[in-house]
Amino acid sequence: MPKIENTTGMSINLIIDELKSDDIRKRIHSVKHLDLIASTIGPDRTKNELIPFIQELLDDDDEVLIELVDSLSRNFVELVGGQAQVLLPTFEALCRVEDASVREKAANQIKKCLTQLPDQKKVEELSIGIIKRLNDSDYYMAKNAVAILIPAIFNQVSQNNQNDLINIILKMSQDQIPQVRKFTSMYFQDLVKHFPLINETFIQNILNSFIKDEQDFIRMYIVDALIQSSKTPFFQKQQNLVLNMFKQLAEDQSWRVRFYFCDKLAEIGEAVTKEGYRKNFQNYHLKFLQDAEPEMKSIAALKIERVSGLMDPEDILNKLIPLLKTIQSDANAFVRNALASSVLALCPIIGKKNTSEQILPIFLTLLKDQDSEVRITLFKKLSLITNVLGVDSLSQSVIPALTELAQDKNWRIRASTIEVLSFFARAIGPEFLSDKVLKLLLDWMGDKVFSVRQTAIQQTAQLISILGLAWADKNLLTKIWAFQSIQNYLHRITVLFTINQITSQLNNDYIIKTIVPILQAMAKDSVANIRSNVCRTSIQLAKEKGGNVVDPMKKILQTLSDDQDAEVKYQAKSALESL
């Protein structure tokens, strides 16, 4: 492996010393650069000195351990000379720590290391040893890794060891500690993939055990195992069992279980085929859209886009859309926002006539929603309806909503609204960008929040890309350049930020004719920060455009090199030297 470059500005010895520092920030910094240390000292010293030393760090704070498992996951096998087994004890120890993310990453790294061992007998010996030690650990959280590792190695071990692993899973599924049963439930889907290597009775027993569990966070993960079983021959043998268990989960008393089931509806439909979905599960989705829990209605509305492809178009028109009309005015904004994110996906499925009659009224209602987040979500999906109905028919409805969002109190809403302009510019062309719409863009450029101004500037560059420099100069840029005379400092500096953003789109003639006079005037601005930014813009233009632009930029910088402000003077002189 090529040597890793030291970009820390610190010596390797200092990085090593700080692994033992009392300051947690220094330990974290050093742990982040373990690969640099290993690369410098070589594979032999890494195996014999660094890895044993790392073992002493394993009782450190969670923040250090998170960085440690990440560092060891980055090509460390190569740094120990390709001997993956050297890392296994460290990862095994990390499977016993308190932080769940560290345990899971460590278990996944053990899986990765085992795949890099050439001797299959060695893989079996090491993996079975690790699993049994973790399973026998006094710390029950270690069983998290056991649930991850058993499915990964099950088909690589002997029949006797497979039987032992099955017994371990059976005991974990009945463990008195709910967290252990949760681990088993979460990863049982990976074990089901091994059917028929995993026998039918075993799968049935585990599924029956979990679906009767008193803890809802254990029952809900059975959805994943059932989906996986539907993709194996087990489904052909036990179709009624699987379908009935799905239905039990869909009707579970816990809304969390029903929520998880609804979230997986599309995957369930794909596993049991469209016909199976329509016959067994479609009505559950329709029922969830009417649930008393807002969370249930929200997830059901979010899933419309995914599950609509499983439905018959007639059912969409006669069963689904009537329900959507009831939740378009739901009291909960999250429900309406979920609907806004997915309802327009129905347009291509039901065609132009039905979209106009059935979806357009819902669209117009959501477009006037009192919650600005709902309207923004709708705008982001606009192409789904415009592709079916055309943009012209919607523009008159959209502009008033756009204007209202442009003045929203929440700056994030204002920034998100700006991005809609380029969509319309592409879809309709310059005719959409009337004086009224362009005024919105200019207002955003003078917004009190920097992120809004920056987004407006970026959108200007987008419009130039779409509609060309000639259109932009005539309709937009001349109005932006006029900002240089506005008293407000933020407006004036926006001129320079805009030039910086669109430099690559300007030709040299335009720069000489239009931009140079602007910079000459702004080089005399009363605010030093404006003059400082004139330096930055001038050097950028000179370097990027070259040719006949260089000399005018040099003259501007020469003027600023005698500036009364020391910082501006220094910037101008440095810029001239670089040219």
Side-chain angles (χ1 to χ4, degrees):
M1 182 177 178
K3 201 165 185 177
I4 296 170
E5 184 182 357
N6 185 354
T7 58
T8 64
M10 299 166 60
S11 70
I12 291 296
N13 288 336
L14 181 56
I15 295 173
I16 294 171
D17 288 342
E18 289 192 346
L19 286 169
K20 299 172 283 187
S21 172
D22 291 334
D23 187 335
I24 188 172
R25 292 170 300 178
K26 290 181 178 179
R27 296 202 303 279
I28 288 173
H29 179 266
S30 290
V31 165
K32 282 182 177 178
H33 294 94
L34 283 176
D35 56 348
L36 174 60
I37 297 172
S39 172
T40 304
I41 66 176
D44 289 337
R45 289 189 62 196
T46 298
K47 286 184 291 184
N48 300 324
E49 298 175 32
L50 182 59
I51 296 298
F53 181 77
I54 288 171
Q55 294 275 359
E56 298 175 16
L57 300 175
L58 298 180
D59 60 351
D60 211 323
D61 294 293
D62 285 346
E63 295 95 320
V64 177
L65 296 180
I66 288 168
E67 292 298 339
L68 175 60
V69 73
D70 284 341
S71 285
L72 293 175
S73 302
R74 290 196 295 267
N75 299 320
F76 230 83
V77 172
E78 294 179 51
L79 294 169
V80 293
Q83 298 181 40
Q85 68 273 17
V86 172
L87 299 174
L88 289 174
T90 305
F91 285 128
E92 181 182 338
L94 287 168
C95 288
R96 295 185 178 92
V97 304
E98 187 173 349
D99 188 278
S101 66
V102 173
R103 294 196 306 270
E104 289 171 12
K105 287 178 182 177
N108 285 316
Q109 285 306 308
I110 289 175
K111 286 163 56 177
K112 186 176 178 181
C113 287
L114 291 172
T115 63
Q116 297 182 49
L117 298 177
D119 186 345
Q120 192 57 43
K121 286 186 179 179
K122 194 70 174 173
V123 170
E124 180 167 1
E125 177 190 336
L126 290 170
S127 60
I128 293 296
I130 290 169
I131 288 169
K132 288 185 175 180
R133 285 192 297 273
L134 290 172
N135 186 56
D136 294 338
S137 172
D138 293 335
Y139 186 45
Y140 71 88
M141 287 293 189
K143 289 183 170 63
N144 185 357
V146 174
I148 295 172
L149 292 172
I150 287 178
I153 59 98
F154 190 84
N155 62 347
Q156 300 174 50
V157 300
S158 67
Q159 181 68 57
N160 287 338
N161 280 326
Q162 285 180 357
N163 291 336
D164 289 344
L165 296 179
I166 284 175
N167 286 329
I168 289 172
I169 290 292
L170 274 172
K171 287 179 182 177
M172 285 175 59
S173 71
Q174 297 160 10
D175 198 287
Q176 62 180 356
I177 300 173
Q179 199 69 26
V180 174
R181 302 200 303 276
K182 178 187 175 183
F183 299 146
T184 318
S185 177
M186 284 176 68
Y187 295 102
F188 189 59
Q189 59 174 313
D190 296 327
L191 201 53
V192 170
K193 295 175 185 176
H194 293 297
F195 179 84
L197 209 54
I198 299 281
N199 71 66
E200 190 176 327
T201 304
F202 169 73
I203 294 176
Q204 280 183 262
N205 290 340
I206 296 286
L207 291 174
N208 281 320
S209 173
F210 283 144
I211 206 161
K212 295 173 185 174
D213 200 289
E214 61 184 13
Q215 300 291 341
D216 60 2
F217 61 79
I218 292 168
R219 295 196 302 275
M220 71 182 189
Y221 289 115
I222 290 304
V223 174
D224 297 312
L226 291 171
I227 291 171
Q228 191 57 51
S229 72
S230 302
K231 300 174 183 176
T232 72
F234 179 83
F235 185 61
Q236 278 71 51
K237 293 190 171 189
Q238 294 289 343
Q239 184 170 344
N240 288 336
L241 172 79
V242 173
L243 293 176
N244 286 333
M245 282 190 172
F246 271 135
K247 290 174 183 179
Q248 273 184 261
L249 294 165
E251 297 168 8
D252 198 279
Q253 289 183 341
S254 168
W255 73 265
R256 289 181 182 85
V257 176
R258 299 198 308 275
F259 183 98
Y260 197 80
F261 176 87
C262 186
D263 190 37
K264 300 285 184 174
L265 261 176
E267 289 91 332
I268 293 170
E270 289 163 6
V272 302
T273 72
K274 285 185 180 181
E275 184 182 348
Y277 172 81
R278 292 171 187 174
K279 180 180 177 181
N280 296 287
F281 304 117
Q282 179 175 294
N283 285 338
Y284 285 115
H285 181 237
L286 300 175
K287 184 180 177 182
F288 293 148
L289 286 166
Q290 305 168 73
D291 200 279
E293 295 284 353
E295 290 86 355
M296 284 305 306
K297 278 192 284 190
S298 294
I299 190 65
L302 274 174
K303 292 295 151 182
I304 291 167
E305 185 168 2
R306 292 285 308 277
V307 303
S308 59
L310 300 167
M311 296 180 70
D312 183 87
E314 286 300 314
D315 284 341
I316 292 174
L317 290 169
N318 299 324
K319 296 179 181 179
L320 178 61
I321 291 177
L323 293 177
L324 304 187
K325 289 178 179 177
T326 66
I327 65 172
Q328 68 183 352
S329 304
D330 194 273
N332 190 293
F334 290 108
V335 175
R336 303 195 306 275
N337 195 38
L339 179 62
S341 74
S342 59
V343 66
L344 300 186
L346 299 176
C347 299
I349 298 172
I350 62 174
K352 185 172 183 178
K353 182 176 182 294
N354 288 321
T355 295
S356 181
E357 294 175 357
Q358 304 293 336
I359 303 298
L360 184 58
I362 298 175
F363 170 81
L364 294 173
T365 299
L366 293 171
L367 198 61
K368 298 170 187 172
D369 196 279
Q370 62 185 11
D371 191 300
S372 49
E373 292 281 1
V374 174
R375 285 173 275 155
I376 283 292
T377 299
L378 197 65
F379 271 129
K380 290 178 179 177
K381 298 286 186 174
L382 210 52
S383 61
L384 291 169
I385 191 169
T386 56
N387 288 344
V388 175
L389 296 183
V391 186
D392 292 341
S393 61
L394 297 175
S395 59
Q396 294 307 309
S397 304
V398 166
I399 291 175
L402 201 62
T403 304
E404 194 173 335
L405 286 168
Q407 298 161 354
D408 196 275
K409 292 178 182 178
N410 186 329
W411 69 265
R412 289 182 176 84
I413 297 296
R414 299 199 299 276
S416 296
T417 307
I418 299 169
E419 297 169 4
V420 177
L421 293 185
S422 59
F423 166 76
F424 281 106
R426 282 192 183 90
I428 303 180
E431 55 267 30
F432 173 78
L433 299 170
S434 61
D435 290 342
K436 190 173 183 179
V437 174
L438 290 176
K439 184 181 181 302
L440 295 178
L441 184 58
L442 294 171
D443 288 343
W444 284 319
M445 284 193 151
D447 197 277
K448 61 184 178 182
V449 177
F450 172 77
S451 292
V452 176
R453 298 195 301 274
Q454 187 64 22
T455 306
I457 290 168
Q458 291 167 354
Q459 198 63 209
T460 299
Q462 286 277 339
L463 294 178
I464 294 173
S465 297
I466 298 164
L467 302 174
L469 180 60
W471 175 90
D473 185 47
K474 179 182 177 183
N475 295 282
L476 183 58
L477 294 180
T478 51
K479 295 169 185 174
I480 296 173
W481 305 150
F483 282 15
Q484 66 179 296
S485 304
I486 296 176
Q487 187 174 0
N488 189 320
Y489 149 82
L490 293 176
H491 283 77
R492 299 202 302 281
I493 203 165
T494 295
V495 172
L496 298 170
F497 290 161
T498 302
I499 295 170
N500 294 343
Q501 183 71 40
I502 67 173
T503 293
S504 62
Q505 297 166 294
L506 302 177
N507 57 58
N508 285 18
D509 290 342
Y510 185 87
I511 292 170
I512 299 297
K513 180 183 175 183
T514 305
I515 304 300
V516 169
I518 292 171
L519 295 179
Q520 288 171 338
M522 297 188 76
K524 302 170 186 175
D525 197 281
S526 59
V527 177
N529 195 28
I530 297 282
R531 302 195 301 276
S532 175
N533 274 279
V534 170
C535 289
R536 295 190 187 100
T537 302
S538 299
I539 189 68
Q540 178 179 322
L541 286 167
K543 287 186 173 180
E544 282 194 31
K545 309 308 288 189
N548 59 345
V549 170
V550 176
D551 285 342
M553 296 304 118
K554 280 185 176 179
K555 289 178 182 177
I556 293 168
L557 290 168
Q558 284 165 353
T559 301
L560 291 169
S561 65
D562 294 323
D563 197 274
Q564 60 187 6
D565 184 270
E567 180 64 28
V568 174
K569 184 187 293 187
Y570 173 77
Q571 270 189 292
K573 286 183 176 179
S574 297
L576 282 168
E577 287 173 9
S578 71
L579 292 174

